[in-house]
Amino acid sequence: MARLPRLTVPGYPHHVIQRGNNRQPIVGSDQDRETLLDLVAENALKHHVALHAYVLMDNHVHLLLTPKTGGGVPQMMQAVGRRYVRYFNDLHHRSGTLWEGRYKSTVIQPEQYLLACMAYMDLNPVRAGMVAQPQDFAWSSHRHYIGLAQDRRLTPHALYWGLGNTPFAREAAYAEMVRAGLSGSQEARITGSALHGWALGDAAFVAELQKRTDRRVSEGRPGRPVSRSISPG
């Protein structure tokens, strides 16, 4: 079965995952982590993509991004991938590929899933048994959003600003949301949508998105869709 082209929809958040080849580490030191995150931020700015959230694990990275153009996310990820692999291979005296093929990406309905996706990312190190609490992990955006750090790489989404009228209120509300955690079904939907490229949202959102593209946006029986156009990644 031919793989689906990635779908990029300007103005909507996208959950992106990039893994190391054969699940090998993509970082070996804090210098590597800072370099990779700086490249993400630099190229997000260059390609007009807002970086809302991230979590950098040892062998993969999650990003929450909103592009202004259809080409923004693919161009950004291509630039990050090439430059980081050159840096990593030169520093660690290695050659060859670092990434497990193409990055994974899904379009998200913000009102339903953006904050949940942020919490999902924050809780990834907890699920992996690396830390007891998400604030104990240094390589995610969680500490920024609960007021324990300042990360200039980030552009908070309007839905985060809507959590409260003051920084303290927003930070407290977001911290409580993450402490409450996600249901198993929420985790499964967020994971499955990102890995398979299905749109993440309610039925109306998915149906409206499908009207704008030839590319299937949800799991279902294959068939020839009505021809329409949108910018795939």
Side-chain angles (χ1 to χ4, degrees), residues 55 57 120-137 178:
V55 60
M57 307 293 282
Y120 171 92
M121 291 163 63
D122 291 345
L123 290 165
N124 207 22
V126 178
R127 289 192 298 270
M130 300 173 71
V131 293
Q133 302 292 333
Q135 60 265 32
D136 297 331
F137 190 71
V178 176

Side-chain angles (χ1 to χ4, degrees), residues 147-177:
L148 296 181
Q150 290 295 314
D151 193 334
R152 295 183 179 181
R153 304 178 184 101
L154 297 168
T155 300
H157 192 275
L159 288 170
Y160 173 79
W161 289 107
L163 291 175
N165 293 325
T166 66
F168 178 80
R170 290 189 289 272
E171 291 157 7
Y174 183 72
E176 179 56 35
M177 187 190 72

Side-chain angles (χ1 to χ4, degrees), residues 52-176:
H52 303 307
Y54 66 84
V55 60
L56 176 52
M57 307 293 282
D58 288 345
N59 63 6
H60 67 283
V61 61
H62 293 252
L63 305 171
L64 189 59
L65 310 167
T66 296
K68 288 187 177 180
T69 68
V73 171
Q75 291 165 2
M76 168 194 160
M77 293 301 294
Q78 182 181 62
V80 171
R82 287 177 175 174
R83 288 182 59 186
Y84 183 72
V85 169
R86 286 198 299 269
Y87 153 85
F88 190 84
N89 284 355
D90 288 347
L91 185 66
H92 296 283
H93 308 292
R94 66 183 299 278
S95 62
T97 186
L98 179 64
W99 308 118
E100 184 184 70
R102 308 189 313 162
Y103 65 88
K104 310 291 187 181
S105 176
T106 189
V107 182
I108 294 175
Q109 182 182 13
E111 297 82 3
Q112 293 290 330
Y113 280 102
L114 182 127
L115 293 173
C117 191
M118 288 176 61
Y120 171 92
M121 291 163 63
D122 291 345
L123 290 165
N124 207 22
V126 178
R127 289 192 298 270
M130 300 173 71
V131 293
Q133 302 292 333
Q135 60 265 32
D136 297 331
F137 190 71
W139 303 101
S140 83
S141 48
H142 181 71
R143 289 172 59 82
H144 173 87
Y145 284 113
I146 63 170
L148 296 181
Q150 290 295 314
D151 193 334
R152 295 183 179 181
R153 304 178 184 101
L154 297 168
T155 300
H157 192 275
L159 288 170
Y160 173 79
W161 289 107
L163 291 175
N165 293 325
T166 66
F168 178 80
R170 290 189 289 272
E171 291 157 7
Y174 183 72
E176 179 56 35

